[in-house]
Coordinates of all heavy atoms in Angstrom, one line a residue:
T286 N -7.5 -2.9 -6.9 CA -8.3 -3.3 -8.2 C -7.7 -2.6 -9.4 O -8.1 -2.9 -10.5 CB -9.7 -2.9 -8.1 OG1 -9.8 -1.4 -7.7 CG2 -10.4 -3.6 -7.0
S287 N -6.7 -1.6 -9.3 CA -6.1 -1.1 -10.4 C -5.2 -2.1 -11.2 O -4.8 -3.1 -10.7 CB -5.3 0.2 -10.0 OG -4.1 -0.2 -9.4
G288 N -4.9 -1.8 -12.4 CA -4.2 -2.7 -13.3 C -2.7 -2.7 -12.9 O -2.0 -3.6 -13.2
T289 N -2.3 -1.7 -12.2 CA -0.8 -1.7 -11.8 C -0.6 -2.4 -10.4 O -1.5 -2.3 -9.5 CB -0.3 -0.3 -11.8 OG1 -1.0 0.5 -10.8 CG2 -0.3 0.3 -13.1
P290 N 0.4 -3.2 -10.3 CA 0.6 -3.9 -9.0 C 1.0 -2.8 -7.9 O 2.0 -2.1 -8.0 CB 1.8 -4.8 -9.2 CG 2.5 -4.2 -10.4 CD 1.5 -3.4 -11.2
G291 N 0.1 -2.7 -6.9 CA 0.4 -2.0 -5.7 C 0.2 -0.5 -5.6 O 0.0 0.1 -4.7
Y292 N 0.2 0.2 -6.8 CA 0.1 1.7 -6.8 C -0.6 2.1 -8.0 O -0.3 1.9 -9.1 CB 1.5 2.2 -6.8 CG 1.6 3.7 -6.4 CD1 0.9 4.1 -5.2 CD2 2.2 4.5 -7.2 CE1 1.0 5.4 -4.9 CE2 2.2 5.9 -6.8 CZ 1.6 6.3 -5.6 OH 1.6 7.6 -5.3
S293 N -1.7 3.0 -7.8 CA -2.5 3.4 -8.9 C -2.2 4.9 -9.2 O -2.7 5.3 -10.2 CB -4.0 3.3 -8.6 OG -4.3 4.0 -7.4
H294 N -1.5 5.6 -8.4 CA -1.2 7.0 -8.6 C 0.3 7.2 -8.8 O 1.2 6.4 -8.4 CB -1.6 7.8 -7.4 CG -3.1 7.6 -7.0 ND1 -4.1 8.0 -7.7 CD2 -3.6 7.0 -5.9 CE1 -5.2 7.7 -7.1 NE2 -4.9 7.0 -6.0
K295 N 0.6 8.4 -9.4 CA 2.0 8.7 -9.4 C 2.5 9.1 -8.0 O 1.8 9.7 -7.3 CB 2.3 9.9 -10.3 CG 2.1 9.6 -11.8 CD 2.4 10.9 -12.6 CE 2.1 10.6 -14.1 NZ 2.4 11.8 -14.9
P296 N 3.7 8.8 -7.7 CA 4.2 9.2 -6.4 C 4.4 10.6 -6.3 O 4.6 11.2 -7.4 CB 5.5 8.4 -6.2 CG 6.0 8.0 -7.5 CD 4.7 7.9 -8.3
P297 N 4.3 11.3 -5.2 CA 4.5 12.7 -5.2 C 5.9 13.2 -5.6 O 6.8 12.5 -5.3 CB 4.2 13.2 -3.7 CG 4.5 11.9 -3.0 CD 4.1 10.7 -3.9
V298 N 6.0 14.3 -6.2 CA 7.2 14.9 -6.6 C 8.0 15.3 -5.5 O 7.3 16.1 -4.6 CB 6.9 16.1 -7.6 CG1 8.2 16.7 -8.1 CG2 6.2 15.5 -8.9
P299 N 9.2 15.0 -5.3 CA 9.9 15.5 -4.1 C 10.1 17.0 -4.1 O 10.2 17.6 -5.2 CB 11.3 14.8 -4.3 CG 11.2 13.7 -5.2 CD 10.0 14.1 -6.1
T300 N 9.9 17.5 -2.9 CA 9.9 19.1 -2.8 C 11.3 19.6 -2.7 O 11.5 20.7 -2.9 CB 9.0 19.4 -1.7 OG1 9.5 18.8 -0.4 CG2 7.6 19.1 -1.9
K301 N 12.2 18.7 -2.4 CA 13.6 19.2 -2.3 C 14.5 18.6 -3.3 O 14.4 17.4 -3.5 CB 14.1 18.9 -0.9 CG 13.3 19.5 0.3 CD 13.3 21.0 0.1 CE 12.3 21.6 1.3 NZ 12.2 23.0 1.2
N302 N 15.4 19.3 -3.8 CA 16.3 18.7 -4.8 C 17.7 18.4 -4.2 O 18.3 19.1 -3.5 CB 16.5 19.8 -5.9 CG 17.3 19.4 -7.1 OD1 18.1 18.5 -7.0 ND2 17.0 20.0 -8.2
K303 N 18.2 17.1 -4.4 CA 19.4 16.7 -3.8 C 20.6 17.4 -4.4 O 21.5 17.6 -3.7 CB 19.6 15.2 -4.1 CG 20.0 14.7 -5.4 CD 20.4 13.3 -5.4 CE 21.0 13.0 -6.8 NZ 21.5 11.6 -6.8
V304 N 20.5 17.9 -5.7 CA 21.7 18.7 -6.3 C 21.8 20.0 -5.6 O 22.8 20.5 -5.2 CB 21.5 18.8 -7.8 CG1 22.7 19.7 -8.3 CG2 21.5 17.4 -8.4
A305 N 20.7 20.6 -5.4 CA 20.6 22.0 -4.7 C 21.1 21.8 -3.2 O 22.0 22.7 -2.8 CB 19.2 22.5 -4.7
A306 N 20.6 20.8 -2.6 CA 21.1 20.6 -1.2 C 22.6 20.2 -1.1 O 23.3 20.8 -0.3 CB 20.3 19.5 -0.5
G307 N 23.1 19.5 -2.1 CA 24.5 19.1 -2.2 C 25.4 20.3 -2.5 O 26.4 20.6 -1.8
V308 N 25.0 21.1 -3.4 CA 25.8 22.3 -3.7 C 25.8 23.4 -2.5 O 26.8 23.9 -2.2 CB 25.2 23.0 -5.1 CG1 25.9 24.3 -5.3 CG2 25.5 22.0 -6.2
L309 N 24.6 23.5 -2.0 CA 24.5 24.4 -0.8 C 25.3 23.9 0.3 O 26.1 24.7 1.0 CB 23.1 24.5 -0.3 CG 22.1 25.3 -1.1 CD1 20.7 25.3 -0.7 CD2 22.6 26.8 -1.2
A310 N 25.4 22.6 0.5 CA 26.3 22.0 1.6 C 27.8 22.3 1.4 O 28.6 22.6 2.2 CB 26.0 20.6 1.8
I311 N 28.2 22.1 0.0 CA 29.5 22.2 -0.2 C 30.0 23.6 -0.2 O 31.1 24.0 0.3 CB 29.9 21.6 -1.6 CG1 29.8 20.0 -1.5 CG2 31.3 21.9 -2.2 CD1 29.7 19.3 -2.8

Side-chain angles (χ1 to χ4, degrees):
T286 58
S287 68
T289 58
Y292 194 54
S293 61
H294 307 287
K295 289 182 180 178
V298 176
T300 56
K301 304 297 181 184
N302 185 331
K303 77 171 188 172
V304 175
V308 170
L309 285 172
I311 292 170

